Amino acid sequence: MLDSIKQFASEFFVTGDPMILGAQVSIGLSMVAMVVVLTMFKKWGWLWREWLTSVDHKRIGIMYIICSILMLFRGGVDALLMRLQLAMPDNQFLQAEHYNQIFTTHGVIMILFMAMPLMFGLFNIVVPLQIGARDVAYPFLNSLSFWMFFWGAMLFNVSFVIGGSPDAGWLSYPPLSELSHSPGIGQNFYIWGIQISGIGSLATGINFIVTILKMRTPGMTLMKMPMFTWSVFSSCVIIIFAFPILTVTLALLFLDRFVGAHFFTLDGGGNPMMYINLIWMWGHPEVYIVVLPAFGIFSDVVSTFSKKKLFGYKSMVFAMLIISLLSFFTWVHHFFTMGSGADVNVFFAISTMAIAIPTGVKIFNWLFTMYRGRLKFTTPMLWTIAFIPCFVVGGMTGVLLSVAPADFQFHNSYFLIAHFHQVLIGGVAFGYFAGLYYWWPKMFGFSLNEHLGKWAFWLWNIGFYVCFMPQYFLGLDGMTRRTYTYSWDMGWGPLNLVSTIGGFLMGVGFLFQVWQIAHSIKFIKQHRASGDPWDGRTLEWSIPSPAPIYNFAVLPTVKSTDEWWEQKQNKTAASKGAVHYEPIHMPKNSAIPFIKSSLWFFAGFGFVWGWLWLAIPAMIGVAICMVARSFSYDTDYYIPVEEIKQTEAAWKGAKV
């Protein structure tokens, strides 16, 4: 009996690596500490009522952002471990298998569990406020979307300490991801972690398309929407067409592994190239899913801190919509070298070059918006300005990669690594940092310390160029992707060492951001923010910070794209006379999203291990939750007029 338990434990828990053991201990201690703190301060009820069961889009947005920051730390540690391994030739810091696991989890976490939730967090916090809505279209579905993401991310991350991480790369190409090459359960964690969180992502896309189309305040036509809202709409259109492809692709891979199907195995009549086509039919639109909202952030930030209307509003809108369409016609440029043929390569080379045109339009629009503007160099504006040269270089190298004959040289090299990090960090991460700083006062009612923010900004930017510029030269010098180690005679040591130093500078920049948040919380009274700390232009700045649960006591009427700015300029914002309030209809909190997504976690865990005794009851529980929701009738309430008056009076009395 004891031997059986030991055998099971050795297979269930990851053992033999001191770093993983340290992670297991730290995770255990953190969980114990959380339980102790919540129990000591009697916060279990508060946590359940105010957060775990909340359907308030603002709180859901905050939870998304907290998760994304934690995932940025996890993915960043993975990146630094890889850079340490590559810093010197013939390094033995990581074993080959552990290195493969780290670069796999790094890619998945940074794209799907860091960038996506940070994006969804900003969607939730900003979009309803910008369009003058009191909530999203489907509050219950919004809560379910978050918890599906959360439990999917937890299922993927638990593989680090239980069962073993996936190690077939962040897109898990067959045959590496098939049972023949990955017989362990790491790939099952990959499939089900992404599958569960992907359901939440698809639901979010549907929710925000309906919210934007159906819940705009009176007078806000489509061509009067703020640019961030347009970028969210464009991104969500891609989501609803791209994520079903990912769902089907991972389902087929799981059938290969679980029931012996042969969709992607050559010896069984399948074709691994079908998987690669399918995964990139999702994967390249995914790049635009995460970068388009960053474009919207830059547009709002540039306009606000230049004190000017956005230059070329209509051209920006059309450029985003064109990118949404063209994003589905570029996927083959990821495998020009796979023998698709000259005609196919030419078509996708031209489509890849074409998508650079609407992207270039945006750069000129931002520059012309800043031209002769009254620029204010706050931290959101600094991140925006830093983005422009970084993204231009990333875009130019992307055009180089779109030339099919040249790609035979660049393909699978560190030149490509440098390119997509330049686009994804310089475009996506810089954009979301700008948005996080910009809307932080609206989320929490206080601003972040600007001095520490600028330290973080410079460390991130200097570290970024020190880290990734050498990688272009490493790629041209023949260093390929997924290289685990290399010998002294390759001559790659000095540039890799410089790149590693840059990576650690970015890590220090992240620590400054954590310090900045902690410092601002500690001295919160010094950083209290008004409803409009940036002298903003759009509707979210017309209400208190943080926004009340109902957002707008009276729905505004919009006459301009920069409605709040126009009201301030015309001095109509504070001269509306007596306000007539009415009871406000709001949704009630619900425990079903949390419970249902938790059951999805157990179902996924059961499928990962092949434990149908766990997976089947969990799926039955999911069905019961769906039935329970169908028969839930007491799902909403009204905020009385007296409570609205008290909330509004307290805010107006506190205004400086």
Side-chain angles (χ1 to χ4, degrees), residues 384-572:
T384 300
I385 293 171
F387 149 81
I388 292 176
C390 187
F391 199 78
V392 166
V393 173
M396 290 169 62
T397 54
V399 173
L400 286 174
L401 288 162
S402 74
V403 180
D407 190 64
F408 275 73
Q409 170 66 34
F410 302 136
H411 184 76
N412 234 26
S413 74
Y414 258 73
F415 187 94
L416 179 61
I417 295 284
H419 156 72
F420 72 68
H421 279 88
Q422 185 122 29
V423 173
L424 290 174
I425 295 179
V428 177
F430 285 13
Y432 293 166
F433 287 163
L436 201 56
Y437 283 109
Y438 182 57
W439 285 302
W440 186 277
K442 186 55 57 183
M443 286 187 271
F444 298 107
F446 66 95
S447 300
L448 292 174
N449 183 282
E450 284 280 298
H451 179 71
L452 291 173
K454 288 174 181 176
W455 270 98
F457 166 80
W458 286 110
L459 285 164
W460 260 98
N461 275 268
I462 293 170
F464 172 82
Y465 285 102
V466 173
C467 182
F468 293 106
M469 289 301 108
Q471 293 183 13
Y472 284 112
F473 297 100
L474 284 166
L476 294 174
D477 204 24
M479 186 171 175
T480 58
R481 300 170 68 183
R482 308 178 184 92
T483 295
Y484 153 65
T485 189
Y486 55 93
S487 60
W488 287 93
D489 59 358
M490 300 301 294
W492 301 335
L495 287 175
N496 269 305
L497 180 59
V498 171
S499 182
T500 299
I501 292 169
F504 275 87
L505 281 175
M506 286 192 286
V508 175
F510 173 77
L511 294 178
F512 265 86
Q513 289 175 310
V514 175
W515 181 14
Q516 179 187 16
I517 294 170
H519 180 276
S520 301
I521 293 172
K522 181 178 180 181
F523 298 100
I524 192 169
K525 292 182 179 179
Q526 301 175 18
H527 298 284
R528 287 288 183 194
S530 66
D532 186 15
W534 305 121
D535 195 15
R537 306 180 72 86
T538 44
L539 288 178
E540 71 267 31
W541 305 112
S542 67
I543 59 176
S545 297
I549 190 169
Y550 50 76
N551 295 345
F552 295 90
V554 177
L555 294 181
T557 300
V558 170
K559 300 176 182 177
S560 166
T561 52
D562 292 338
E563 177 62 26
W564 177 237
W565 178 260
E566 295 296 333
Q567 287 185 23
K568 290 187 292 185
Q569 295 304 107
N570 298 329
K571 303 190 185 300
T572 60

